[in-house]
Amino acid sequence: MGGGDRVPQGGGPGGGPGRPGGLRGAIPFRRDQLRALGLVAPLLIFVGVTFIAPLATMLTRSVHDPVVADALPETLALLRDWDGDGLPAEAVYETAARELERLGEERTIGQVAGRVNRVQGGLRSVFTRTVRELADAAPDPAVAAETPWRDALAGIDPAWADPMTWHAVRTTGERFTSRHYLNAVDRERLPDGTIARQPEERRIYLRLFWRTLLVSGTITVLCLLLGYPIAHLIARAPPRRAALLLVLVLVPFWTSLLVRTTSWIVLLQTQGVINDLLVAIGLVSDDGRLAMVYNMTGTIIAMTHVLLPFMVLPLYSVMRGIPPQYMSAAASLGATPVQAFLRVYWPQSLPGVGAGALLVFILSIGFYITPALVGGSDGQLISNMIAYHMQTSLNWGLAGALGGILLVGVLALYLVYDRLVGVERMGLS
Amino acid sequence: MAAQHPDARPSPAPAVGTARAVAPRMGRFAYFAFCAAVFVFLVAPILVIIPLSFNAEPYFTFTEGMLRFDPDAYSLRWYREIIENEAWTGSLVNSLVIGVSATALATVLGTLAALGLASPGVPARRVIMGILISPMVTPVIISAAGMFFFYSNLGLGQTHLGIILAHATLGVPFVVVTVTATLAAFDRNLTRAAASLGAGPWTTFRRVQLPLIAPGVISGALFAFAVSFDEVVVVLFMGGVEQRTIPRQMWSGIREQISPAILAVATFLIVFAALLLVVVAWLRRRAPG
């Protein structure tokens, strides 16, 4: 700080004329800096509160879940001594029965049951039924038994005599947990503490991550194939025509995403414009109409359309800077058009290819709206799964974990993009 | 990939044999045909909505009457429907209220921050810029999910204020980016000249700097407004019935009972987008540098 090179030359508005040279450097520097920070601070605070803090709370949820820990504190404390083999001690059963009864009175059993159920399917009903029937099933003190509470709970549901139930309670009782992240990569922690893959039918998230990457890659390649020629055409066109052609790229760019998605539904549906056209010219028969929407095909077509401008604009701005004389020079030196393109033009257009491809890829792995509307059941991406866990299954911890993984991936790609292009120059201008 | 290369100059290699002369011409033809097809792919899906919105029948395709240009096959019934339907008019009001407030907030805060970031002495400029731009680079589903929890805890769930704050945040990066770009072309000697002529910082800003960066500020504001006007995910997560915006209304229209009234709304939004495009293009030409 305070190095001479950072001192604004001549002083900012704060540095009045005629001050002695020695002071002149120091004072306006500090005042300038304060003024600049004062201008930035309101927005920085605003974004911190309205955006960074919300993100942080969501990510916290993915590792922090106190509901079960707060609901069954004594049971969990006793379970700490349980070796994990066999059944827990009678004291655990007695305490659990007492705490479950309280949850029933407070009507908070649903939250606990739901969480335990995610670790061990079927436990939701075990918990709610146990709470309901506990009052009538309490052991009779007159009857001597070695484990009266264990017998009473197991009498309500045999699941209480299964160590896996207690394992589920102990797992969900961890205040800070890695299970949502393990779940998000199709792993689980076994009772003995080792990490293993989920059973076959529960492995869905890794496949979905791969599908999202694959679909995004496909869309990126399609955008490049479609966008490269037209960016080249616009870059070489005379100014007036170039401006007109650019408008054709910018109109979709500015048109509402929902409008563009609606258009594709209208065009692609079985009774839609494209199928009608294909039937009219006899390419497909009337009952052989193509299913092009509400599936993966619909997602890919609509997303390619939505993202194509993000490919064309960076390509165009790079290609505009490639002098056309280079191609003539290559031709005059005997290169065929193909050779000239591959060895002269393509290498010079690579910065645009990199910027456009990276941008399209980043945008598509986080896409939500278009797949949700035109994707049907097999055209959904990872964002749609996050929305599902947010709104339908209400497994917010898992939604947070999936979101956390997606966010890290996207931010890493943006860092690459920033190195290559600069986030500030994002296809906007 | 030969098709991608138009050998625009006919001069260098006059035909040696006919086969050689035909190949480039075919290549050129294929290249232009391909480009034309891509432009059709870009624009046709948007344009096709417009005539369909005048369909007299509740279909999403061209009826025979429409193809014969029979005037009876066209009607304004879907436009009448959206104008008379309070769900649509109410959502327009909501969209405008939320859009304008969010834009005002984002523009004021964003412009101030861009001015601060452009001055020479800012520490950690890259980090600050990264934070301010983060709402633009974060997938919207993640932003919406996080905001849902946080704003509900603050009692801002299902309120206009909550959505205005959220949309302002999403619009901020666009203001910062456009104003920063304009300021990069701004000649700092002008502020120095103003200062040397005795103008204070505020006068300098108002009389010298602001008029010159105004086109950038306005296009940033238009970007921010466009973001809010088209935003549906945050509204889905945070908004209640009272906060239904046009995109939210379209969303349920598409998911639940798709009616051609949506095409009339879409046509209105297309016209609106075209207007925005014209204004931004005009502003860009006026911007310095």
Side-chain angles (χ1 to χ4, degrees), chain B residues 20-59:
Chain B
R20 259 208 181 163
V22 169
R25 213 180 301 155
M26 296 250 306
R28 260 173 72 86
F29 176 76
Y31 164 77
F32 282 118
F34 185 83
C35 286
V38 176
F39 281 115
V40 169
F41 171 74
L42 270 172
V43 181
I46 295 167
L47 293 185
V48 87
I49 290 272
I50 298 173
L52 283 176
S53 71
F54 295 100
N55 198 339
E57 306 291 331
Y59 300 134

Short mmCIF file of all heavy atoms in Angstrom, two decimals, chain B residues 20-59:
data_model
loop_
_atom_site.label_atom_id
_atom_site.label_comp_id
_atom_site.label_asym_id
_atom_site.label_seq_id
_atom_site.Cartn_x
_atom_site.Cartn_y
_atom_site.Cartn_z
N ARG B 20 -12.51 -28.36 -60.74
CA ARG B 20 -11.97 -27.51 -59.69
C ARG B 20 -12.82 -26.26 -59.49
O ARG B 20 -12.92 -25.75 -58.38
CB ARG B 20 -10.56 -27.09 -60.06
CG ARG B 20 -9.51 -27.88 -59.36
CD ARG B 20 -8.33 -26.99 -59.25
NE ARG B 20 -7.25 -27.69 -58.61
CZ ARG B 20 -6.00 -27.26 -58.67
NH1 ARG B 20 -5.70 -26.20 -59.41
NH2 ARG B 20 -5.06 -27.89 -58.04
N ALA B 21 -13.37 -25.74 -60.55
CA ALA B 21 -14.14 -24.51 -60.43
C ALA B 21 -15.50 -24.78 -59.80
O ALA B 21 -16.03 -23.93 -59.10
CB ALA B 21 -14.33 -23.87 -61.81
N VAL B 22 -16.03 -25.97 -60.03
CA VAL B 22 -17.36 -26.26 -59.52
C VAL B 22 -17.33 -26.47 -58.01
O VAL B 22 -18.19 -25.98 -57.30
CB VAL B 22 -17.95 -27.50 -60.24
CG1 VAL B 22 -19.22 -27.97 -59.53
CG2 VAL B 22 -18.25 -27.16 -61.68
N ALA B 23 -16.28 -27.15 -57.53
CA ALA B 23 -16.24 -27.50 -56.11
C ALA B 23 -16.36 -26.28 -55.19
O ALA B 23 -17.22 -26.29 -54.30
CB ALA B 23 -14.98 -28.29 -55.80
N PRO B 24 -15.55 -25.22 -55.38
CA PRO B 24 -15.71 -24.08 -54.49
C PRO B 24 -17.09 -23.45 -54.59
O PRO B 24 -17.65 -22.97 -53.59
CB PRO B 24 -14.64 -23.09 -54.92
CG PRO B 24 -13.87 -23.71 -55.99
CD PRO B 24 -14.48 -25.03 -56.34
N ARG B 25 -17.66 -23.45 -55.79
CA ARG B 25 -18.97 -22.82 -55.94
C ARG B 25 -20.01 -23.62 -55.16
O ARG B 25 -20.85 -23.04 -54.48
CB ARG B 25 -19.35 -22.73 -57.42
CG ARG B 25 -20.16 -21.49 -57.71
CD ARG B 25 -20.54 -21.38 -59.15
NE ARG B 25 -19.39 -21.36 -60.04
CZ ARG B 25 -19.44 -21.74 -61.31
NH1 ARG B 25 -20.56 -22.19 -61.83
NH2 ARG B 25 -18.36 -21.69 -62.07
N MET B 26 -19.91 -24.95 -55.24
CA MET B 26 -20.82 -25.78 -54.46
C MET B 26 -20.61 -25.52 -52.97
O MET B 26 -21.57 -25.42 -52.21
CB MET B 26 -20.56 -27.26 -54.75
CG MET B 26 -20.84 -27.65 -56.17
SD MET B 26 -22.28 -28.70 -56.33
CE MET B 26 -21.93 -30.03 -55.19
N GLY B 27 -19.35 -25.42 -52.59
CA GLY B 27 -19.04 -25.17 -51.18
C GLY B 27 -19.65 -23.86 -50.73
O GLY B 27 -20.27 -23.79 -49.66
N ARG B 28 -19.49 -22.84 -51.55
CA ARG B 28 -20.06 -21.53 -51.23
C ARG B 28 -21.57 -21.62 -51.07
O ARG B 28 -22.14 -21.07 -50.14
CB ARG B 28 -19.75 -20.53 -52.34
CG ARG B 28 -18.60 -19.62 -52.04
CD ARG B 28 -18.29 -18.80 -53.27
NE ARG B 28 -19.31 -17.78 -53.52
CZ ARG B 28 -19.28 -16.58 -52.96
NH1 ARG B 28 -18.32 -16.26 -52.13
NH2 ARG B 28 -20.22 -15.70 -53.21
N PHE B 29 -22.19 -22.36 -51.99
CA PHE B 29 -23.64 -22.48 -51.95
C PHE B 29 -24.07 -23.18 -50.66
O PHE B 29 -24.97 -22.73 -49.95
CB PHE B 29 -24.15 -23.25 -53.17
CG PHE B 29 -25.63 -23.48 -53.14
CD1 PHE B 29 -26.51 -22.45 -53.43
CD2 PHE B 29 -26.14 -24.72 -52.77
CE1 PHE B 29 -27.87 -22.64 -53.38
CE2 PHE B 29 -27.51 -24.93 -52.71
CZ PHE B 29 -28.37 -23.89 -53.03
N ALA B 30 -23.35 -24.28 -50.35
CA ALA B 30 -23.69 -25.04 -49.14
C ALA B 30 -23.53 -24.15 -47.91
O ALA B 30 -24.36 -24.18 -46.99
CB ALA B 30 -22.80 -26.27 -49.03
N TYR B 31 -22.47 -23.36 -47.90
CA TYR B 31 -22.20 -22.48 -46.76
C TYR B 31 -23.33 -21.47 -46.57
O TYR B 31 -23.87 -21.31 -45.47
CB TYR B 31 -20.88 -21.78 -47.01
CG TYR B 31 -20.57 -20.57 -46.17
CD1 TYR B 31 -20.15 -20.70 -44.85
CD2 TYR B 31 -20.66 -19.29 -46.71
CE1 TYR B 31 -19.84 -19.59 -44.09
CE2 TYR B 31 -20.35 -18.17 -45.96
CZ TYR B 31 -19.95 -18.33 -44.65
OH TYR B 31 -19.63 -17.22 -43.89
N PHE B 32 -23.74 -20.82 -47.66
CA PHE B 32 -24.81 -19.83 -47.51
C PHE B 32 -26.12 -20.49 -47.14
O PHE B 32 -26.88 -19.98 -46.33
CB PHE B 32 -24.97 -19.01 -48.80
CG PHE B 32 -23.92 -17.95 -48.95
CD1 PHE B 32 -23.03 -17.96 -50.01
CD2 PHE B 32 -23.81 -16.94 -47.99
CE1 PHE B 32 -22.04 -16.99 -50.11
CE2 PHE B 32 -22.82 -15.97 -48.10
CZ PHE B 32 -21.95 -15.99 -49.17
N ALA B 33 -26.39 -21.66 -47.74
CA ALA B 33 -27.64 -22.37 -47.42
C ALA B 33 -27.65 -22.75 -45.95
O ALA B 33 -28.66 -22.59 -45.25
CB ALA B 33 -27.77 -23.61 -48.29
N PHE B 34 -26.49 -23.23 -45.45
CA PHE B 34 -26.42 -23.63 -44.04
C PHE B 34 -26.66 -22.42 -43.14
O PHE B 34 -27.43 -22.48 -42.19
CB PHE B 34 -25.05 -24.26 -43.76
CG PHE B 34 -24.93 -24.81 -42.37
CD1 PHE B 34 -25.43 -26.07 -42.06
CD2 PHE B 34 -24.33 -24.07 -41.37
CE1 PHE B 34 -25.32 -26.57 -40.78
CE2 PHE B 34 -24.23 -24.57 -40.07
CZ PHE B 34 -24.73 -25.82 -39.79
N CYS B 35 -25.98 -21.30 -43.46
CA CYS B 35 -26.15 -20.09 -42.64
C CYS B 35 -27.60 -19.64 -42.66
O CYS B 35 -28.16 -19.28 -41.61
CB CYS B 35 -25.27 -18.97 -43.16
SG CYS B 35 -23.54 -19.21 -42.75
N ALA B 36 -28.22 -19.68 -43.83
CA ALA B 36 -29.63 -19.26 -43.92
C ALA B 36 -30.48 -20.14 -43.02
O ALA B 36 -31.35 -19.65 -42.28
CB ALA B 36 -30.11 -19.33 -45.36
N ALA B 37 -30.19 -21.45 -43.04
CA ALA B 37 -30.97 -22.37 -42.22
C ALA B 37 -30.80 -22.04 -40.74
O ALA B 37 -31.76 -22.08 -39.97
CB ALA B 37 -30.55 -23.81 -42.50
N VAL B 38 -29.57 -21.69 -40.34
CA VAL B 38 -29.34 -21.38 -38.92
C VAL B 38 -30.10 -20.11 -38.54
O VAL B 38 -30.71 -20.03 -37.46
CB VAL B 38 -27.84 -21.24 -38.61
CG1 VAL B 38 -27.63 -20.81 -37.17
CG2 VAL B 38 -27.12 -22.54 -38.87
N PHE B 39 -30.10 -19.12 -39.42
CA PHE B 39 -30.85 -17.90 -39.11
C PHE B 39 -32.35 -18.20 -38.99
O PHE B 39 -33.04 -17.64 -38.13
CB PHE B 39 -30.60 -16.81 -40.16
CG PHE B 39 -29.30 -16.09 -39.96
CD1 PHE B 39 -28.27 -16.19 -40.89
CD2 PHE B 39 -29.09 -15.33 -38.82
CE1 PHE B 39 -27.07 -15.54 -40.69
CE2 PHE B 39 -27.88 -14.68 -38.61
CZ PHE B 39 -26.87 -14.78 -39.54
N VAL B 40 -32.83 -19.08 -39.85
CA VAL B 40 -34.24 -19.48 -39.75
C VAL B 40 -34.49 -20.15 -38.40
O VAL B 40 -35.45 -19.86 -37.70
CB VAL B 40 -34.62 -20.41 -40.92
CG1 VAL B 40 -35.99 -21.05 -40.66
CG2 VAL B 40 -34.64 -19.64 -42.22
N PHE B 41 -33.56 -21.04 -38.02
CA PHE B 41 -33.68 -21.72 -36.72
C PHE B 41 -33.72 -20.72 -35.57
O PHE B 41 -34.46 -20.89 -34.61
CB PHE B 41 -32.48 -22.67 -36.57
CG PHE B 41 -32.34 -23.31 -35.21
CD1 PHE B 41 -33.20 -24.32 -34.80
CD2 PHE B 41 -31.33 -22.90 -34.34
CE1 PHE B 41 -33.06 -24.91 -33.55
CE2 PHE B 41 -31.19 -23.50 -33.09
CZ PHE B 41 -32.06 -24.50 -32.69
N LEU B 42 -32.94 -19.63 -35.70
CA LEU B 42 -32.89 -18.63 -34.63
C LEU B 42 -34.18 -17.84 -34.53
O LEU B 42 -34.69 -17.58 -33.44
CB LEU B 42 -31.73 -17.66 -34.87
CG LEU B 42 -30.38 -18.01 -34.28
CD1 LEU B 42 -29.32 -17.04 -34.79
CD2 LEU B 42 -30.42 -17.94 -32.76
N VAL B 43 -34.70 -17.43 -35.66
CA VAL B 43 -35.77 -16.43 -35.65
C VAL B 43 -37.16 -17.03 -35.84
O VAL B 43 -38.12 -16.58 -35.21
CB VAL B 43 -35.49 -15.35 -36.73
CG1 VAL B 43 -36.58 -14.31 -36.71
CG2 VAL B 43 -34.15 -14.73 -36.48
N ALA B 44 -37.25 -18.09 -36.66
CA ALA B 44 -38.58 -18.61 -37.00
C ALA B 44 -39.40 -19.03 -35.78
O ALA B 44 -40.59 -18.71 -35.71
CB ALA B 44 -38.44 -19.78 -37.99
N PRO B 45 -38.79 -19.72 -34.80
CA PRO B 45 -39.62 -20.13 -33.66
C PRO B 45 -40.26 -18.94 -32.96
O PRO B 45 -41.34 -19.08 -32.37
CB PRO B 45 -38.63 -20.82 -32.72
CG PRO B 45 -37.50 -21.21 -33.57
CD PRO B 45 -37.41 -20.20 -34.67
N ILE B 46 -39.60 -17.80 -33.01
CA ILE B 46 -40.17 -16.63 -32.34
C ILE B 46 -41.25 -16.01 -33.22
O ILE B 46 -42.33 -15.65 -32.74
CB ILE B 46 -39.05 -15.62 -32.02
CG1 ILE B 46 -38.11 -16.26 -31.00
CG2 ILE B 46 -39.62 -14.32 -31.50
CD1 ILE B 46 -36.83 -15.55 -30.82
N LEU B 47 -40.96 -15.93 -34.53
CA LEU B 47 -41.93 -15.28 -35.41
C LEU B 47 -43.21 -16.10 -35.57
O LEU B 47 -44.28 -15.54 -35.75
CB LEU B 47 -41.29 -15.04 -36.78
CG LEU B 47 -40.15 -14.02 -36.79
CD1 LEU B 47 -39.67 -13.77 -38.20
CD2 LEU B 47 -40.58 -12.70 -36.13
N VAL B 48 -43.07 -17.41 -35.48
CA VAL B 48 -44.23 -18.25 -35.76
C VAL B 48 -45.33 -18.05 -34.71
O VAL B 48 -46.52 -18.23 -34.97
CB VAL B 48 -43.78 -19.73 -35.83
CG1 VAL B 48 -43.77 -20.38 -34.45
CG2 VAL B 48 -44.67 -20.51 -36.76
N ILE B 49 -44.92 -17.62 -33.53
CA ILE B 49 -45.88 -17.37 -32.45
C ILE B 49 -46.87 -16.27 -32.84
O ILE B 49 -48.05 -16.33 -32.49
CB ILE B 49 -45.10 -16.88 -31.20
CG1 ILE B 49 -44.30 -18.02 -30.60
CG2 ILE B 49 -46.00 -16.25 -30.19
CD1 ILE B 49 -45.06 -18.81 -29.61
N ILE B 50 -46.37 -15.27 -33.57
CA ILE B 50 -47.18 -14.06 -33.78
C ILE B 50 -48.46 -14.37 -34.57
O ILE B 50 -49.55 -14.08 -34.08
CB ILE B 50 -46.32 -12.95 -34.42
CG1 ILE B 50 -45.19 -12.61 -33.44
CG2 ILE B 50 -47.16 -11.72 -34.74
CD1 ILE B 50 -44.15 -11.65 -33.99
N PRO B 51 -48.38 -14.97 -35.78
CA PRO B 51 -49.64 -15.27 -36.47
C PRO B 51 -50.52 -16.25 -35.70
O PRO B 51 -51.74 -16.13 -35.70
CB PRO B 51 -49.19 -15.87 -37.81
CG PRO B 51 -47.77 -16.23 -37.64
CD PRO B 51 -47.20 -15.32 -36.60
N LEU B 52 -49.88 -17.22 -35.01
CA LEU B 52 -50.69 -18.20 -34.28
C LEU B 52 -51.50 -17.56 -33.16
O LEU B 52 -52.55 -18.08 -32.77
CB LEU B 52 -49.79 -19.29 -33.69
CG LEU B 52 -49.28 -20.35 -34.67
CD1 LEU B 52 -48.33 -21.31 -33.96
CD2 LEU B 52 -50.44 -21.12 -35.29
N SER B 53 -51.04 -16.40 -32.66
CA SER B 53 -51.77 -15.77 -31.58
C SER B 53 -53.09 -15.15 -32.07
O SER B 53 -53.93 -14.77 -31.27
CB SER B 53 -50.92 -14.69 -30.91
OG SER B 53 -50.77 -13.59 -31.77
N PHE B 54 -53.24 -15.07 -33.40
CA PHE B 54 -54.49 -14.53 -33.96
C PHE B 54 -55.42 -15.64 -34.41
O PHE B 54 -56.40 -15.40 -35.12
CB PHE B 54 -54.19 -13.59 -35.15
CG PHE B 54 -53.43 -12.36 -34.73
CD1 PHE B 54 -52.06 -12.27 -34.92
CD2 PHE B 54 -54.09 -11.30 -34.13
CE1 PHE B 54 -51.36 -11.15 -34.52
CE2 PHE B 54 -53.40 -10.17 -33.74
CZ PHE B 54 -52.03 -10.09 -33.94
N ASN B 55 -55.09 -16.88 -34.00
CA ASN B 55 -55.89 -18.03 -34.40
C ASN B 55 -57.30 -17.92 -33.83
O ASN B 55 -57.49 -17.63 -32.65
CB ASN B 55 -55.20 -19.29 -33.84
CG ASN B 55 -55.69 -20.54 -34.54
OD1 ASN B 55 -56.76 -20.55 -35.13
ND2 ASN B 55 -54.88 -21.58 -34.48
N ALA B 56 -58.30 -18.15 -34.68
CA ALA B 56 -59.68 -18.10 -34.19
C ALA B 56 -60.03 -19.37 -33.43
O ALA B 56 -60.99 -19.39 -32.66
CB ALA B 56 -60.64 -17.89 -35.37
N GLU B 57 -59.28 -20.44 -33.67
CA GLU B 57 -59.57 -21.71 -33.02
C GLU B 57 -58.58 -21.93 -31.87
O GLU B 57 -57.48 -21.39 -31.90
CB GLU B 57 -59.40 -22.87 -34.03
CG GLU B 57 -60.20 -22.71 -35.29
CD GLU B 57 -61.70 -22.86 -35.03
OE1 GLU B 57 -62.06 -23.58 -34.09
OE2 GLU B 57 -62.48 -22.23 -35.76
N PRO B 58 -58.97 -22.73 -30.88
CA PRO B 58 -58.04 -22.98 -29.78
C PRO B 58 -56.98 -24.02 -30.12
O PRO B 58 -56.79 -24.99 -29.41
CB PRO B 58 -58.97 -23.47 -28.65
CG PRO B 58 -60.11 -24.09 -29.34
CD PRO B 58 -60.26 -23.37 -30.65
N TYR B 59 -56.29 -23.85 -31.23
CA TYR B 59 -55.25 -24.79 -31.63
C TYR B 59 -53.90 -24.08 -31.64
O TYR B 59 -53.82 -22.86 -31.77
CB TYR B 59 -55.52 -25.36 -33.02
CG TYR B 59 -56.82 -26.11 -33.12
CD1 TYR B 59 -57.67 -25.90 -34.19
CD2 TYR B 59 -57.18 -27.03 -32.14
CE1 TYR B 59 -58.87 -26.57 -34.28
CE2 TYR B 59 -58.38 -27.71 -32.23
CZ TYR B 59 -59.22 -27.49 -33.29
OH TYR B 59 -60.40 -28.15 -33.39
#
